[in-house]
Amino acid sequence: MTAGPILHLSDSDLDALAITYAEVIGMLETVLQGASQGRVWSAPKSVIQTHDGRYMMATLAAMDDPPLLATKSLVLNAANSDVGLPQINGTVTLLSSVTGLPVATIDGNWITGLRTAGLSALAAKHMARPDSETLGFVGTGLQARQHLRAFAEMFPLKRIKIAGRGQPNIDALVDMARQLHIKSEVCTAPKEAIVDADIVVTSLTHTSVAAPFLDAATLKQGAFLTSVDLGAPWFPDGFGQLDRVIIDDVAQESTLPNKLVPAGAVTGDLSDLVAGTQAGRLSQQDRGAFVFRGHALGDLAGAALAYLKFNAQD
């Protein structure tokens, strides 16, 4: 890699790559295996929270094959909605992990959507029942749509149940399900969306959860939950009623003051699932949850996959 013009991949450039979640899972597995072998590296995420409620975050991860270092910076600001912007916006910057020269910038919202659903998909590959047919959503924004796309690739979905506030987002999710030939049911309360779901996705924004209101103990036998929202909508004690709870990174979690779930409920992390040192499911009746903050290795995997696939077109 040499100095020169810096490539920028916009959301339309990235959409045109038609990346599948099978590809995302494969790259995540490669990156996580590399990390366990000391060939891929990451640092705990850094967070700034301001007095006016803004949430600023950065991640850092690197590998040498291919030689890429990814940093992602984002800002979550609820006031963005007042001016017609998404609440979360950010950018991924790719450098050479050898020379430090910049090689690309990538739309951060797109990468966040891809890698977040990709992390859930990787967990679901190990933890969800392969015959899962009903998918319950609490939260209906970008992450809900990305998760529907991911799980529709992986499972024989027949129905989604939806609980959310914004009608445009609900309509977009229903329309997406229709295009995938999946039936939709809009629920009046969040509990209705999860009560008989085989897979549950909660993806509420950082600023929208004043206090927990969902109980993991009410999940049906055999259900799998992925909480994209740091477990915020879930009563902490309920996680102790599940057969296993996986987080994204035990090492990262140990450095952070506010824990995702009670420490005694955690049975392992994604690296354990990929390495096979932690079983995702022992029986058809097991109930499990994946609760996560977002992993720097996930951002690296998503950005590297997009960058490599874009360049392979030349």
Side-chain angles (χ1 to χ4, degrees), residues 15-309:
D15 284 340
L17 297 176
I19 292 172
T20 69
Y21 274 97
E23 292 175 307
V24 179
I25 290 172
M27 181 61 85
L28 283 168
E29 290 174 335
T30 296
V31 167
L32 288 167
Q33 288 166 354
S36 68
Q37 296 163 1
R39 297 181 289 105
V40 178
W41 310 273
S42 66
K45 66 167 55 179
S46 297
V47 173
I48 297 172
Q49 292 181 269
T50 65
H51 68 279
D52 59 358
R54 282 172 293 150
Y55 176 90
M56 308 177 192
M57 185 272 290
T59 66
L60 170 67
M63 59 185 176
D64 282 345
D65 184 20
L68 293 171
L69 179 150
T71 61
K72 185 180 78 174
S73 305
L74 66 78
V75 175
L76 188 162
N77 185 358
N80 283 359
S81 299
D82 299 333
V83 292
L85 292 173
Q87 289 193 11
I88 302 175
N89 290 293
T91 300
V92 175
T93 303
L94 282 179
L95 311 180
S96 164
S97 61
V98 176
T99 67
L101 292 175
V103 296
T105 58
I106 304 177
D107 184 277
N109 293 19
W110 195 96
I111 289 296
T112 297
L114 182 82
R115 74 92 161 111
T116 304
L119 291 168
S120 289
L122 177 56
K125 174 182 174 181
H126 294 271
M127 300 181 72
R129 287 176 54 140
D131 60 352
S132 296
E133 296 182 347
T134 299
L135 176 55
F137 289 102
V138 179
T140 56
L142 169 66
Q143 284 303 332
R145 296 191 295 275
Q146 289 284 4
H147 279 72
L148 176 55
R149 178 185 158 208
F151 291 146
E153 286 186 22
M154 301 172 65
F155 302 99
L157 298 179
K158 295 182 179 178
R159 176 178 63 147
I160 64 170
K161 302 179 71 177
I162 303 168
R165 295 180 181 176
Q167 195 60 47
N169 279 339
I170 292 173
D171 292 343
L173 193 58
V174 168
D175 183 61
M176 184 177 180
R178 184 183 303 113
Q179 293 178 39
L180 293 167
H181 307 291
I182 298 170
K183 295 180 180 179
S184 301
E185 177 185 338
V186 179
C187 303
T188 58
K191 292 180 180 179
E192 296 175 17
I194 72 170
V195 65
D196 62 348
D198 300 308
I199 299 174
V200 173
V201 179
T202 61
S203 57
L204 302 176
T205 62
H206 175 76
T207 55
S208 66
V209 182
F213 57 91
L214 295 173
D215 188 352
T218 64
L219 296 173
K220 66 180 284 189
Q221 293 298 306
F224 165 68
L225 157 69
T226 179
S227 175
V228 181
D229 37 27
L230 290 76
W234 298 90
F235 294 111
D237 291 347
F239 289 113
Q241 303 299 310
L242 302 181
D243 295 285
R244 54 194 44 77
V245 177
I246 298 295
I247 61 175
D248 43 0
D249 187 350
V250 167
Q252 172 179 265
E253 189 70 4
S254 68
T255 69
L256 299 172
N258 299 317
K259 305 306 180 186
L260 289 166
V261 298
V266 176
T267 51
D269 63 15
L270 275 180
S271 294
D272 295 323
L273 292 182
V274 171
T277 56
Q278 171 65 234
R281 174 178 293 277
L282 295 178
S283 80
Q284 291 288 76
Q285 301 305 307
D286 280 1
R287 298 181 300 173
F290 176 49
V291 186
F292 62 115
R293 299 179 184 276
H295 201 312
L297 295 180
D299 293 318
L300 173 63
L305 176 60
Y307 177 72
L308 293 173
K309 193 162 185 178

